Amino acid sequence: MTKECIENIIVTSTILRFHNNTRDPFVIAEKQGIKITYCDLDPSIIKGSSYYSETKKEIRINKNYSYDKQKIICAHELGHIILKHMGNAYYKDNDLEREYCANLFAVTLLFNNFDFNCSLTELTSYELQLILDTNLKD
């Protein structure tokens, strides 16, 4: 992934956040016309998923998580849709580049750049995942 692509994701997430005047992915999804549904699944099976096509945009969230955890899942899945990852995308997708992009989008949406001791462009896929996973724990 090029530095330019990484910077474009950060800019896209930041603009979306400022344009909607919120960091709340639920509010942003609603304003973008993205349907959110809640599924009753074993949390060890799936946290969330998204579907994006030219005619349909949907985020599915496992309702067996706390509101704060659902918010992080929503931000990640919103990233898949905003970045136009076509078809189905699942939290912990096998496509590592798509997951990196969705995680970077989510971290940029939910956190301030000054929350970290480095630039977001310097964070590795592992570090982005760790930020989100740390905030997913009880």
Side-chain angles (χ1 to χ4, degrees), residues 15-105:
I15 288 171
L16 191 64
R17 184 178 76 219
F18 284 111
H19 176 72
N20 289 284
N21 198 30
T22 185
R23 291 181 179 276
D24 189 327
F26 296 111
V27 171
I28 294 171
E30 181 181 344
K31 288 183 176 184
Q32 296 292 313
I34 300 169
K35 180 181 177 184
I36 297 178
T37 58
Y38 296 88
C39 306
D40 187 10
L41 299 168
D42 181 339
S44 66
I45 295 173
I46 193 166
K47 295 176 183 167
S49 66
S50 58
Y51 180 81
Y52 170 81
S53 72
E54 293 301 321
T55 59
K56 183 178 179 183
K57 297 173 188 164
E58 182 178 6
I59 294 172
R60 294 174 208 97
I61 299 172
N62 190 329
K63 71 178 187 178
N64 293 303
Y65 285 102
S66 69
Y67 174 79
D68 289 338
K69 292 177 186 183
Q70 289 177 9
K71 194 173 187 178
I72 290 170
I73 294 165
C74 185
H76 174 92
E77 299 304 335
L78 180 62
H80 282 300
I81 292 174
I82 297 298
L83 299 172
K84 299 183 178 183
H85 296 162
M86 298 294 278
N88 284 316
Y90 301 94
Y91 196 85
K92 303 280 189 194
D93 195 339
N94 288 331
D95 186 328
L96 298 179
E97 187 170 310
R98 283 182 6 161
E99 287 305 296
Y100 171 81
C101 294
N103 285 340
L104 179 60
F105 180 93

